[in-house]
Amino acid sequence: MSTIDPSDIKVGRRTVLLTACATTCLAVAGCSTQNNSNAPGVTLGSAEVPISAVPVGGGVILADEQVVITQPQEGVFQAFSAVCTHQGCVVSEVSDGTINCPCHGSRYSIVDGSVVQRPAQKPLHSYALSRTADTIIVN
Ligand code: FES
């Protein structure tokens, strides 16, 4: 299991629950109002997460922001809504190439958010990304 140093998670006013999943999942709750790292990161509004927290072939769930950021191939990032299109639960894990909803078992592709396993019938909403040398910004 990989671990994330909570001091590497930078947030604004809210605590971010970060779930990083490759083959296993972990949850780290971190809260800080300081920007004290130059580590490569993902920026979503006021939240920054080290880019290393987005595993190749997996992704991270920003539960408070209700966003999932995936890296299906090295250097290729996608962002999706974390709200399941079935009945609105927030997805809870990313594993084995899918984003998984805990409520009724829907699974979505980390590549394009498409439904891999029902009952959901519509894909996850995707968000545009922009990228600097070391940061991904979810628009
Ligand atoms: S709300 Fe996600 S599977 Fe039903």
Side-chain angles (χ1 to χ4, degrees):
M1 176 179 349
S2 61
T3 59
I4 298 170
D5 183 341
S7 67
D8 288 340
I9 301 171
K10 294 172 256 174
V11 298
R13 290 172 286 170
R14 296 190 293 169
T15 299
V16 170
L17 174 64
L18 168 69
T19 304
C21 302
T23 55
T24 59
C25 292
L26 61 103
V28 175
C31 186
S32 170
T33 57
Q34 298 183 355
N35 182 352
N36 58 3
S37 171
N38 293 322
V42 174
T43 299
L44 174 65
S46 59
E48 285 188 23
V49 177
I51 208 164
S52 60
V54 186
V56 176
V60 295
I61 299 168
L62 303 176
D64 281 357
E65 310 296 348
Q66 298 190 336
V67 169
V68 183
I69 301 167
T70 65
Q71 187 176 189
Q73 298 175 21
E74 188 167 352
V76 177
F77 295 91
Q78 302 289 341
F80 306 104
S81 168
V83 178
C84 180
T85 62
H86 178 230
Q87 291 183 358
C89 289
V90 175
V91 299
S92 63
E93 74 170 348
V94 182
S95 65
D96 298 327
T98 60
I99 301 162
N100 308 326
C101 181
C103 291
H104 310 101
S106 290
R107 294 176 181 259
Y108 303 88
S109 168
I110 64 169
V111 175
D112 59 7
S114 62
V115 176
V116 173
Q117 179 174 301
R118 291 183 173 208
Q121 296 183 11
K122 296 180 180 177
L124 293 175
H125 177 77
S126 63
Y127 294 116
L129 293 173
S130 57
R131 184 177 180 178
T132 66
D134 57 5
T135 304
I136 291 175
I137 301 164
V138 180
N139 300 309

